[in-house]
Amino acid sequence: MNDRSPHPVAGLEPVLTTSELAAHLGVPVQTIHDLRHAGRGPRGFRVGRELRYRVSQIQQWLAELEGADEARRQGDDGAGR
């Protein structure tokens, strides 16, 4: 039996592959690679040749992106007025 979505194990945090993360975000896999290469992507770790991303790290990264976007929008609201 080769089940690609293993059952959660008590005490272990779920992780996503790069492909799963890209699909979840609705972006190409290359976008995730490009963001990581630029130092702006989520923290991950290697298991063999494949990168894995902890769900908590993804949530933290997304929160940081949202915060930066909000700060940028607030700065743009007062610009040029």
Side-chain angles (χ1 to χ4, degrees):
M1 182 171 174
N2 186 6
D3 186 9
R4 286 284 299 156
S5 48
H7 302 286
V9 176
L12 290 181
E13 180 178 355
V15 297
L16 299 179
T17 65
T18 304
S19 298
E20 290 168 335
L21 175 57
H24 177 73
L25 296 175
V27 300
V29 169
Q30 189 60 48
T31 299
I32 304 299
H33 290 299
D34 292 346
L35 286 167
R36 283 183 49 84
H37 182 74
R40 297 181 14 230
R43 288 183 52 196
F45 58 95
R46 289 204 177 276
V47 176
R49 296 185 331 177
E50 182 76 38
L51 282 166
R52 298 285 193 265
Y53 304 89
R54 294 181 196 279
V55 170
S56 64
Q57 290 293 322
I58 295 167
Q59 291 169 333
Q60 179 182 345
W61 173 65
L62 290 173
E64 290 168 3
L65 289 178
E66 289 171 347
D69 189 54
E70 181 65 27
R72 191 171 29 257
R73 275 189 277 135
Q74 287 179 357
D76 289 345
D77 287 345
R81 293 184 187 189

